Amino acid sequence: MSSFRNHRVIIASLFLPTTAALGESSPPTPDYQITQDSESTVPQSNSANQKQQPAYRQRQPGQLPLVSIVDDLTSRVITPLASPQPDIPNPFTKFVKIASPQPGTTPSSNSAHASNSSNESSADSNAPSQVPSLDRSFTLFRPRKFQTTHQDVRHSARLQRKQSRSTSRRPTSVARGSNADGGYDPWHISPNTHCNGGLKNAVDSVKGRLLQRLWVGTLGSNTDGFGSAMRKNIDKRMRETCDSVPVWIPDGEFESCYDEFCHQVLWPCLHYAVPDAPKTKCFYESASFKQYRSVNQRFADVIIENYREGDMIWVNDYHLMLLPALLRSHPKTASAPIGFFLHVAFPSSEIFRCLSVRDSLLKGVLGADLVGFQTANYARHFRQTVSRILAYESLPKGIQVEGPVAPVSTGGEAEKEWRESAEGKKGKEKGRFVDVGVFPMGIDVNSLREKKRQPEVQYWVQLLRQRYAGMKLIVGRDKLDETQGVRHKLEAFDHFLKANPEFQGKVVLIQVALQTTESNELAGGVSDVVARINAAFSTLTYQPVVFLHVQEVTFSQYLALLTVADAFMVTSLREGMALRTHEYVECQEERNRALILSEFTGTYSYSGFRSCFAVNPYDTRGTAKAIYQALTMSDEEAASRWQDLHNHVVTQTAQAFTTSFLTRCLRAHNEHASLSTDPSLVPSLDVPRLIPKYRHSASRLIFVDLEGCLWVRDMSKSAMMEMCKSGKGPMVELPEATIRVLESMADDPKNEIWVLSGLPVKGALERLAERVPKVGIVAENGCFVKTREISNKSGGQSNGARWINMVANLDFAWKGPCVEILNYFTERTPGSFVEERATSVVWRFWTGPPDSTAPIDDDATITTNDICSPSSNTATSPSSDSHYSDRSWARRQAAEAQNHIFDSLGERYGLRIIPGQNSFLVLPNNISRSTAVGTILHPGGPACSPLGGGAGVGDADYDGWWSSTTVGSGAGRTSGTTGGRVSSAGESTLVLGIGGDEKLLRRLNELDDAETVSTSRRGTDAKWKLDPREVLGVLGTLAQVR
């Protein structure tokens, strides 16, 4: 299978990582000097009156100098609300002086000092004459800026496009920068403050493997004033220098889509907030969803225009939920690999169903080959929502979509005409499967380690430690949205100070606030709580809450805060992966301090983060208690907790996220493409062409399915009744014709025959082993393997065949609860029954007329009704139409049962569910027919026979036995002499696989001398196709070849 390295990846995100900013580009980050606010300056040796700012900050064009965290602490009482200034100035005014003097010197005075109040002068006179100074080397380098989920750039108060570009960035007289062509452009490329930082970092972390990529998104600023010539110039330079293609959207259209629909309707719903009456009314009376659909269509047009054969398309986040279906419905991108990843939470169906446009959003997402989520809970919510709202079959692995991807619903006659079209009718018979997976995002650990070792970070670490010596620091970094729970955090901190007066004056909460919309900030209700806490507990030398906006803190300062913090606190009411907690854990490599984490974050759902102090943000007392425990725990406990957290951070990285998602997307697409291939394109088995290869091979290894190939079982109700009464009948008695063919094939000394089955050992397979002992058997889809009985010609003896339990070390405590769940559904599904086997459980949910349009899983236990029914290849009969409602009910029940088993037992016991057309199988994970074949082929494997085992290859799913080195050398060409077949020069082993297991057939195709034959009557990667009813005849013909 090809790797994503061989493909160009088109990454669609609402905002590009870079943008086109008006004006001249920024200078190369010089250390600028200011002459005001002398207390925030450093005296230079050549002039006592010239001051230099010690902060490592770039000055942006058209902006006032940005204050650093030090200046912020020195210049104001940190509250979002304007409040009366205290009579005595903020005691943090002396903070910056720590870094200023050299040993043996004191800060110089100037006129600014003289203007201070007498109270401040008195405070200065009581200060120590000698202040420990920092290493002077910290001020000798230029500042740097870093890109991460926290960006060192200046943000506007709102993300709304009208305000995202302030008027200061659009002066009437614009400075122009020259370009490479000798012309002049009134703009320059700069980092986009609105981009998804976590996604950008994840993509950048795999630059070495993701060699070709193309970003598609908006600039994140007003663009109506850009002329056509300027847009073309931006398109060209962004494509050449940034691998980016801008999407040009009218400002009004984007505003309505982003501010109204995305932020006021979709964002609250995805974070478990039921739309209230005012917002709902506003939504219904506006055209915001039309604008949302229009924005998605503009993205689709740009991607289609730039798409080329072989590209992968990666759609990101809730802003573009309609985009996958728009791409899938276009002829140019209909066959492209498309993945969709949701970076935020996904609610339960009871919440999502409140949206009036729920159908369009879900169908839009289902246009992808793979839909990814941050946690298993969000993936489960999505599957359940699709099942309950769209009535699609929802399985643990994904969604079975009936028919092709419809165009995004526009209402009226357009959609009706499509449904009545010939394409729609054809698609209803075809359908497609959409994978649903879990891909937790992480951080680039190596990059963060390099950044935290930068000298400027160490500078701020020393400064903060000296300033807050003897105090405990709690750090938080959140948006001021209501869902981020900042108000709940502050309320808990207030309760902590009241309940533990001994900590008053000794604990400081430094809260960094990320940008959000004005309405969301007001809804967060943070300002009054900050003012109340500071008013209640502040003293001349202590302020409990320090409130900073993100534009006031550089990334170096932020890393320093994480390094010196005694606790990091996240109290989100609902959130996906909180990557800031990963950054905190990595920065605590030396101190190993505590993490206080909300139970409602996606991060907490992973076992690696269970070593944090988990809190329910709605429980103020419980959160306050967690703060106390985090600040008072022993160093041994802190180190143990941190080690567990760190193990997860360094394992689930940004590289692992990107690689796993793109690999799974490509694999899912290839699987879907093979299943959707027209079976008529696969040639029928040419027996005359196969016979010469069969005759001249030194040895032959033959794998053939029992059910559906060698044996057609009668799954009718009458056959089941007969089996239940007498223990015999067509369900347990193999036909004599099958026995004779197997005996004839096994008598040839060159042949090694293996029969693959999903049946239990007792019954039909036990009888087969007695009748034909020279045949190897795989039972219960790989859980048991019976070795072949091989005669020793010289001694006249034979080795005894034996059954090998491949799952002997597994825990089967899950079988009892699983059968109990299935019995519950059996009582409510007419005609269904449970088959309990030694290591697996099968539920037959339908025993009526077959449905030819239903899919068959590769590893499903194939029955008569699955494949070999005479009516399965014809049009639906009137009698089957009469049973359509009953079958639909049975399939819905089967989907509910599978989800219930997977959610309650699957992750706990490591189970896999294999869905079939009329049944599904529950068995241990990583066990399949292909893994059993791996044990047969691998030399020295547990099922390797002394004479026949060891074709020189194995199975990747079974201890990595599918080795590329051995596969390339050809089957049968083993270098060892123990347990392997050694072929003479010029001869090789013929591997023949016949069956419907697509996974096994694809892997057998990797062998040099393999012939694969599919009997599934659908799209396949096998080299040949064959009607299941002709299998016995073909094997009989080969048995006569000598």
Side-chain angles (χ1 to χ4, degrees), residues 696-712:
H696 297 293
S697 58
S699 58
R700 307 159 192 138
L701 193 58
I702 302 173
F703 300 98
V704 58
D705 283 347
L706 179 61
E707 303 98 299
C709 290
L710 297 176
W711 180 31
V712 176

Side-chain angles (χ1 to χ4, degrees), residues 236-265:
K236 179 181 177 181
R237 288 183 56 186
M238 294 284 285
R239 182 68 176 267
E240 293 175 352
T241 61
C242 306
D243 294 324
S244 300
V245 177
V247 179
W248 301 103
I249 302 175
D251 294 342
E253 180 179 305
F254 183 92
E255 216 173 280
S256 178
C257 163
Y258 187 69
D259 285 338
E260 292 181 25
F261 185 75
C262 290
H263 271 187
Q264 303 302 325
V265 178

Side-chain angles (χ1 to χ4, degrees), residues 599-618:
E599 298 174 356
F600 302 110
T601 62
T603 303
Y604 179 73
S605 65
Y606 290 93
S607 58
F609 269 81
R610 296 300 170 86
S611 294
C612 66
F613 287 94
V615 296
N616 177 0
Y618 298 99

Side-chain angles (χ1 to χ4, degrees), residues 290-308:
K290 293 181 180 179
Q291 307 295 353
Y292 180 83
R293 183 170 56 238
S294 178
V295 167
N296 278 256
Q297 184 62 59
R298 291 180 185 274
F299 268 81
D301 295 340
V302 172
I303 292 175
I304 292 170
E305 180 182 355
N306 291 274
Y307 176 81
R308 63 193 186 198

Side-chain angles (χ1 to χ4, degrees), residues 23-69:
E24 192 177 66
S25 60
S26 301
T29 62
D31 291 336
Y32 61 89
Q33 301 177 0
I34 57 177
T35 58
Q36 56 185 3
D37 294 337
S38 59
E39 288 185 352
S40 63
T41 59
V42 179
Q44 297 181 354
S45 58
N46 59 349
S47 175
N49 294 326
Q50 188 152 7
K51 312 296 188 292
Q52 182 179 13
Q53 184 177 356
Y56 300 96
R57 167 78 69 176
Q58 297 183 48
R59 185 172 183 175
Q60 301 295 332
Q63 297 179 348
L64 294 176
L66 296 179
V67 295
S68 70
I69 183 174

Side-chain angles (χ1 to χ4, degrees), residues 941-1020:
C944 175
S945 60
L947 177 64
V953 295
D955 193 327
D957 286 345
Y958 195 87
D959 296 335
W961 282 354
W962 280 89
S963 170
S964 59
T965 58
T966 55
V967 168
S969 62
R973 300 171 188 172
T974 57
S975 57
T977 58
T978 303
R981 178 186 293 107
V982 181
S983 302
S984 59
E987 296 180 332
S988 63
T989 298
L990 169 66
V991 179
L992 176 63
I994 304 176
D997 188 334
E998 284 298 319
K999 182 184 296 184
L1000 175 59
L1001 295 177
R1002 280 194 296 268
R1003 290 177 173 175
L1004 290 179
N1005 279 335
E1006 298 177 8
L1007 306 181
D1008 290 343
D1009 300 302
E1011 297 291 339
T1012 52
V1013 184
S1014 173
T1015 59
S1016 61
R1017 286 180 174 173
R1018 60 179 178 180
T1020 178

Side-chain angles (χ1 to χ4, degrees), residues 407-448:
V408 177
S409 177
T410 56
E413 297 296 326
E415 185 175 359
K416 183 178 179 181
E417 290 178 1
W418 179 87
R419 295 186 181 281
E420 293 177 353
S421 67
E423 180 184 0
K425 293 179 181 178
K426 179 181 178 181
K428 289 181 181 178
E429 300 177 359
K430 191 174 182 180
R432 54 190 299 273
F433 192 83
V434 179
D435 280 26
V436 177
V438 179
F439 307 91
M441 183 176 281
I443 63 172
D444 188 349
V445 177
N446 295 329
S447 177
L448 184 62

